[in-house]
Amino acid sequence: MRASSFALSLVVTGALVGCQVGCDGERANKAQTPRPPSALDGGNGAVPASAAIEQQAQVEARAALDPAPGSLDYLFTALASAEKGEAGGRVDIVVFGDSHTAGDAMTSRLRTVWQRRFGDGGRGVVAAGKPPVKHYYQRDVKYGRTGVWTGSVGGKRGDSEPFGIAGLRVSGTRKGAQLWVETCTDCGAGKTTSQFEILYYAAPDHGLLRYKVDDGKWTDMPTKTTTIEPPHPARQVIPVADGPHKLTLEHGGGGAIDLFGVVMETMKPGVVIDALGVVGRRLGSLRSWDWSIIGEQLATRDPRLVILQYGTNEADDPELVLEDMARYYDDTIVRIRAAAPTASILILGPPDMGVREGGKSCDKMKPPASGVDAGVIPECTWKTPGILREIIAVEHAAAARNKVAFFDTFAVMGGADLMDTWATSDPKIAFKDHIHLTTLGYERWADALGGALFIEYQHWRKTNGLPPSKPLSAPPSTMSTAPPAADTQLPGPVAP
């Protein structure tokens, strides 16, 4: 079946429902009846403004989050430090994933909400300017390019290594071509920075990179190494006065330039969220890339939580072998722990999906004659594919086996076969591709995940004799009626 026939749905407003699908046999909560949007939000789809998330989320939220004992301690210890304003209270959350993360709607909501509560640590990792590749959508940052650049994406046919931690590389050979990134003063996050960090590739045949901050002077930065020095990932840290800034990069000639990205941080206690999704990719894609580069860059990021958000594209793989997928989780978790030994790890289960047995031919069927109630033939009814439940079970088992946390997005959504409801609701929670969510849907997903984590954090504080934390409040939804125009460009699944 093709990826375009998939569908996602989501019931993740304040009230979270319990596990309905067995959850790999590890939870025995009473099954909940799937609820349409009107049962959760009064029919208008709006996320309550300035409401305390831990008050919205009921006890069932903790049923969706299944952390192995101690598996979130690194995250919670760092959050407690940030909450106290301690110098070491930097909480970087790295999210590897597919198009759900690549679109940055869900991660932007997490970024905004958690920075409001624990402090603004900065925007985090972004591409070096606007990469010339399809489906690059990042929020809470401004970016662009001039001149000729090429983009390479991990998993795309014909594109070769190295890709770097963000799963891509921007390359240039034309002197004078420019890339730029800038803080976003009118966004919910990423308003200021006090440090830029350029992630690049150094090699004997590489040239000169020039950079400037705002309207300052150009600084030369050679990326050429000695002949006997092997190619390797490198970075250049650029301190700036805390505030809004723009970093411009220019090809200075003398050889190729390869850039993996730019990091923007405030160097203050607070949360940073790196959204590192690549459209159409699977966990096996991340596992197969060059970890001599990814591992080094992940170590430099020094995260306190690494999230693995996969499963949607695996469900569209006709050659999927579940045993291989289980092994990929084991291998990837070992690599993450080697690179980031003080990071908690969370496997984020995929949202619900839907397929029609009749496929696209259902779109060509003529409507019944006037006055005739023919209904919908079973082959054209949107249903959750059976493989999705197996994928979720594999992910949950991998989390238990490796003693990391697991979040059951499918259970939070309310169960199976709901995508068509969300794609036809008003306002829409999912798009008509029955794959991706609207901004509203992704915000609900973020609030469900964030709310469940925060409830567990409160429990951790109590267990460790700490006073309760202040509420985690959600700002108003960025959309209350129809999706903004930008949502029509949300990335769709693409073949590797």
Side-chain angles (χ1 to χ4, degrees):
M1 60 186 70
R2 298 292 299 166
S4 59
S5 68
F6 276 82
L8 311 182
S9 67
L10 196 52
V11 186
V12 291
T13 52
L16 305 181
V17 298
C19 176
Q20 301 200 150
V21 292
C23 299
D24 201 30
E26 297 184 21
R27 293 195 295 275
N29 297 67
K30 183 179 179 180
Q32 303 288 319
T33 302
R35 290 173 287 180
S38 59
L40 296 171
D41 53 38
N44 61 13
V47 175
S50 302
I53 289 180
E54 82 280 6
Q55 292 176 352
Q56 296 177 326
Q58 305 299 318
V59 176
E60 290 89 345
R62 290 184 64 192
L65 178 63
D66 185 16
S71 61
L72 294 173
D73 283 2
Y74 288 128
L75 170 65
F76 294 160
T77 300
L79 288 175
S81 181
E83 194 166 354
K84 292 171 64 177
E86 296 177 346
R90 173 185 174 274
V91 189
D92 183 40
I93 299 176
V94 171
V95 188
F96 293 109
D98 53 30
S99 58
H100 299 305
T101 297
D104 197 29
M106 185 254 293
T107 39
S108 174
R109 177 71 167 189
L110 283 173
R111 186 180 300 118
T112 301
V113 170
W114 284 68
Q115 287 187 355
R116 282 163 58 105
R117 178 62 195 84
F118 294 99
D120 182 357
R123 174 56 181 80
V125 177
V126 296
K130 180 175 175 57
V133 299
K134 291 183 178 180
H135 310 309
Y136 180 78
Y137 306 97
Q138 288 288 295
R139 306 190 181 200
D140 306 319
V141 63
K142 297 180 180 180
Y143 50 86
R145 73 173 186 270
T146 60
V148 178
W149 297 90
T150 60
S152 300
V153 182
K156 181 181 178 182
R157 187 176 292 109
D159 287 359
S160 59
E161 296 272 12
F163 302 120
I165 193 172
L168 56 81
R169 181 182 75 257
V170 178
S171 305
T173 58
R174 304 278 186 90
K175 183 177 180 179
Q178 293 185 352
L179 298 160
W180 59 269
V181 294
E182 185 177 5
T183 52
C184 184
T185 56
D186 56 351
C187 295
K191 297 177 182 291
T192 68
T193 188
S194 54
Q195 177 177 288
F196 290 103
E197 183 179 335
I198 305 171
L199 305 178
Y200 67 98
Y201 198 54
D205 61 346
H206 279 39
L208 178 69
L209 180 67
R210 307 175 69 216
Y211 68 83
K212 70 175 181 178
V213 177
D214 302 327
D215 295 322
K217 296 181 179 180
W218 289 101
T219 298
D220 291 347
M221 191 187 87
T223 69
K224 180 183 179 69
T225 65
T226 62
T227 304
I228 62 172
E229 187 178 3
H232 62 273
R235 63 193 184 106
Q236 176 70 38
V237 175
I238 308 169
V240 295
D242 187 58
H245 293 288
K246 178 179 180 179
L247 175 69
T248 304
L249 307 175
E250 182 178 85
H251 194 306
I257 296 293
D258 287 316
L259 300 166
F260 298 122
V262 173
V263 183
M264 306 163 71
E265 294 198 15
T266 64
M267 308 308 293
K268 297 182 295 188
V271 171
V272 184
I273 295 185
D274 302 325
L276 307 179
V278 180
V279 174
R281 301 306 177 257
R282 308 172 179 90
L283 177 71
S285 305
L286 174 65
R287 171 185 173 272
S288 69
W289 298 337
D290 187 351
W291 272 77
S292 68
I293 294 176
I294 294 175
E296 180 174 324
Q297 293 177 344
L298 184 61
T300 301
R301 296 301 298 136
D302 192 22
R304 290 299 174 265
L305 175 65
V306 176
I307 296 177
L308 299 173
Q309 179 271 299
Y310 294 97
T312 294
N313 294 296
E314 281 86 346
D316 190 40
D317 183 358
E319 300 179 356
L320 177 68
V321 178
L322 292 173
E323 291 79 5
D324 289 346
M325 183 181 175
R327 179 167 51 86
Y328 294 163
Y329 273 104
D330 295 344
D331 294 348
T332 304
I333 290 171
V334 167
R335 292 176 177 178
I336 292 171
R337 282 175 166 157
T342 56
S344 298
I345 300 173
L346 183 145
I347 297 176
L348 181 56
D352 186 24
M353 307 170 64
V355 296
R356 295 177 299 183
E357 186 178 338
K360 291 184 177 180
S361 62
C362 295
D363 297 329
K364 302 177 182 178
M365 295 180 61
K366 294 182 179 180
S370 179
V372 177
D373 184 10
V376 179
I377 63 173
E379 290 79 7
C380 291
T381 301
W382 292 100
K383 296 289 185 180
T384 300
I387 190 64
L388 184 66
R389 295 175 176 84
E390 298 183 59
I391 289 171
I392 293 170
V394 167
E395 292 182 338
H396 199 163
R401 183 171 61 252
N402 289 281
K403 296 180 173 57
V404 303
F406 175 76
F407 185 79
D408 196 339
T409 304
F410 182 83
V412 168
M413 289 169 59
D417 306 332
L418 293 176
M419 175 52 75
D420 198 46
T421 301
W422 314 140
T424 57
S425 64
D426 184 18
K428 296 184 184 303
I429 303 174
F431 286 104
K432 64 180 180 180
D433 67 357
H434 287 77
I435 298 172
H436 297 98
L437 309 178
T438 63
T439 294
L440 178 59
Y442 282 118
E443 287 178 348
R444 291 183 175 185
W445 187 2
D447 287 352
L449 172 62
L453 284 171
F454 191 75
I455 289 173
E456 196 67 26
Y457 171 61
Q458 292 281 46
H459 177 71
W460 176 88
R461 290 184 65 89
K462 181 178 181 180
T463 301
N464 286 273
L466 300 174
S469 180
K470 295 179 181 178
L472 183 68
S473 62
S477 172
T478 56
M479 56 162 288
S480 57
T481 54
D487 273 347
T488 62
Q489 301 175 7
L490 273 174
V494 295

